[in-house]
Amino acid sequence: MSLLQQLKVHPSDRKLMIAYGSTGVAALAGSGALALILVLIRTPMFGVDLPGLYYKMLTGHTILGFVYWFAFIQAALLIAGATTLREGRRLWSLKLGWIAFAFTAAGLTTNMVGVFSGANVLYTAFPPLSQEFTATPLIYLGYLLTAIGALLITIDFLGTVTTWVERKRSLLSWKRMLGEIHVSTFAAICASVLIITVGIAALRLYGPAFMWSMGWLTFDPMTFPLQFRLTYHLMFHIIHYIPTIAMIAAAYVLVELTTGAKSIYRKTIAKALFLTYPLVVPPTFLYHLMVDPSIPENIKIIGSALSLLIWIPSLLHMFIITGMVEAKMRSAGHGLFNWIKHLPWRNPAFSSLTMGMLTFGIAGSLTAVLLQEQTAPILHGTFAVPAYIHPMVVGAASLIYMGLVYYGVTIFRKRQLWGLAIARIQPYLLTAALIIFAIAGTMAGYAGVPRRTAEISYGGLAPESWTWLMNVTLGIGGILAIIAGIIFIVVMGMTALAGKRLAPSEAPQGLAAPELTEKRKFRYTPTALIPGIIFVGVILAFTALAFGIIDRWPIHFG
Amino acid sequence: MAEKIEKETSSQPSEKGEGFLFWGLIFVTALNVGMVLWSLNLFAPS
């Protein structure tokens, strides 16, 4: 039986999942709408002069995109991992699920009221800057509510996991359950470890910060901002890897749904690789603090070296996923590279998966220089940072989630995909936009364009290259990405509300895996090694380039 | 002994590495929670 046929969910659990998924898509739409205003302000050729609006839009855009789109969609994936991938088994407590949803929705509402009441604090809300805005408490309170929501849905998920153990006192029953569950469900358990860690850190960070912003607590004005930043970076670093795990877990489901491929390696290997994230993520948070003068240089170098560990599990997962497809296609008789031509490129969920993996590789290779002790201080305040984070967040993670949403909306709403023709274009358009954004934005960053500044002409003193680089980055890349986002939202909305109803045994059109007849057993996947080799080569090239730039920099640090 | 009997009598096939996954999960949970509590103590506002 294919995975698509196995996907089942109880109507009550489905309602909760739809609530999470649709609120997440709404947050994404809101983030995209604010991105349009940012693009109009920051692109020199559009010449929209609204610097007062800039920081409000930037704060709203990042909170909606990075915090709430992910918080909601990942909670939906957590529920899917506990129910849909377990052949429709029930969530441990539906009531707790709805309470968690209510907390997260309250966090979103509180934060948006704060943003539009003038808390231009960016998503970081660092003191002492945050003290300047009267609406700041709403930002800290919103984050607190969201952290509670995330902790509650994770407790619900882990409670569900315990119901799968036949004999709770038997160690073997626990081990057997972990061996039996889907790779992606195991990944969700690993992500839960990080969510709990992040939840504890968020409560510890934003609880006192909220009371401080209300004037109920006073801290040393010299040490509090520094301590806030340290705790923030510990939490924020771990947060990054929740989408990483969720995205790769989603990729394992998508590869099965879109190609019918099964892993040729033991499931335990993929599961063990997921375990390495919570193992290597906490000790590597130092790479966010490369510009902190209070941390000794040797500690920063250790942080740089440890950060290299982060790529290893992701690279190996990508090899397994690509290998699954290669083995499936070559078992059907296709040649060494010929199998690539026969992949279901017109299935928007499959192209979301492959384009997501491509943008993941591009963004990952751009991070190399941002993790190193010598280059990070020079580049972290430049546009090189948004140039990598957008292909990582809007590309890799969001694209792969979008691929699953294509299935989710058709299966759960029992409707055909509306606008299949434009849905087919959407992942490619978004990827092309993000590649333009990444390349031109990285060049802009290396040329010194600042990261969070509304107006970059500096009265005509800025280098001429900054103008055309930002015109290409945002004027072309940014606008195309927004168009791709609008297509996704329209297709999702129209499918949910006006898509043709599916007959009980009917499969969604354009999303079915290709029918392949196995002609031979194929157990080796050499082509799947190629993306990893290219990735390592690109990282080395970028590092050499960055160190070349340092030598030509007019100011030397350290 | 009880585990041995259960292993011998269970109808479900066992996959290699289940023990590694179980103990690995326990270890990384302890590592993460321990590390975050230790770090928060270090960075706690005075």
Side-chain angles (χ1 to χ4, degrees), chain A residues 2 42 44 92 126 174 198 318 326 364 387 395 433 457 480 520 528 530 541:
Chain A
S2 75
R42 275 214 70 168
W92 177 56
F126 283 147
W174 284 90
V198 164
M318 289 303 148
E326 180 178 1
S457 72
L480 289 178
R520 57 181 173 164
I530 295 172

Side-chain angles (χ1 to χ4, degrees), chain A residues 330-348:
Chain A
R330 295 189 69 185
S331 296
H334 297 301
L336 181 62
F337 292 109
N338 191 34
W339 62 273
I340 298 168
K341 201 170 77 183
H342 293 89
L343 290 171
W345 296 108
R346 285 163 63 78
N347 176 343

Side-chain angles (χ1 to χ4, degrees), chain A residues 201-414:
Chain A
L203 295 178
R204 186 71 186 85
L205 179 71
Y206 295 119
F210 171 66
M211 291 194 271
W212 167 80
S213 65
M214 291 294 289
W216 299 338
L217 274 181
T218 46
F219 294 121
D220 183 318
M222 295 299 283
T223 55
F224 178 59
L226 183 65
Q227 286 158 343
F228 183 97
R229 273 168 194 260
L230 285 169
T231 310
Y232 173 85
H233 281 299
L234 173 76
M235 180 199 72
F236 188 64
H237 169 68
I238 302 171
I239 282 182
H240 279 66
Y241 293 92
I242 298 168
T244 308
I245 295 179
M247 165 181 79
I248 295 172
Y252 274 101
V253 175
L254 264 184
V255 76
E256 276 191 61
L257 288 173
T258 57
T259 66
K262 300 275 182 200
S263 184
I264 52 168
Y265 306 103
R266 253 209 316 264
K267 274 197 303 185
T268 320
I269 296 172
K271 288 178 182 175
L273 281 174
F274 277 112
L275 270 179
T276 57
Y277 287 103
L279 182 70
V280 300
V281 163
T284 55
F285 85 102
L286 274 166
Y287 70 68
H288 294 272
L289 299 165
M290 294 299 183
V291 288
D292 191 317
S294 68
I295 294 175
E297 193 177 355
N298 54 351
I299 299 287
K300 288 180 185 174
I301 289 171
I302 292 170
S304 284
L306 284 173
S307 67
L308 300 173
L309 293 171
I310 293 291
W311 287 322
I312 295 169
S314 302
L315 264 176
L316 293 172
H317 277 303
M318 289 303 148
F319 168 72
I320 293 175
I321 292 166
T322 315
M324 286 168 73
V325 184
E326 180 178 1
K328 172 83 179 177
M329 298 304 285
R330 295 189 69 185
S331 296
H334 297 301
L336 181 62
F337 292 109
N338 191 34
W339 62 273
I340 298 168
K341 201 170 77 183
H342 293 89
L343 290 171
W345 296 108
R346 285 163 63 78
N347 176 343
F350 178 77
S351 48
S352 295
L353 169 67
T354 47
M355 293 300 107
M357 287 166 71
L358 175 69
T359 46
F360 187 40
I362 292 169
S365 58
L366 292 174
T367 61
V369 293
L370 298 167
L371 300 177
Q372 297 186 33
E373 195 269 332
Q374 296 91 337
T375 46
I378 299 169
L379 293 171
H380 104 289
T382 71
F383 206 83
V385 175
Y388 104 82
I389 201 76
H390 280 82
M392 186 69 92
V393 170
V394 187
S398 298
L399 261 171
I400 292 175
Y401 296 162
M402 284 171 182
L404 274 188
V405 176
Y406 277 118
Y407 280 104
V409 80
T410 50
I411 294 169
F412 296 148
R413 295 285 301 163
K414 297 189 172 72

Side-chain angles (χ1 to χ4, degrees), chain A residues 15 139 190 195 227 229 261 304 328 365 390 395 420 428 442 468 476 489 505 523 525:
Chain A
K15 270 185 198 161
I139 303 297
C190 294
I195 298 170
Q227 286 158 343
R229 273 168 194 260
S304 284
K328 172 83 179 177
S365 58
H390 280 82
L420 184 59
Y428 298 113
T442 301
W468 73 263
I476 300 174
I489 301 290
S505 58
R523 299 208 170 274
T525 58

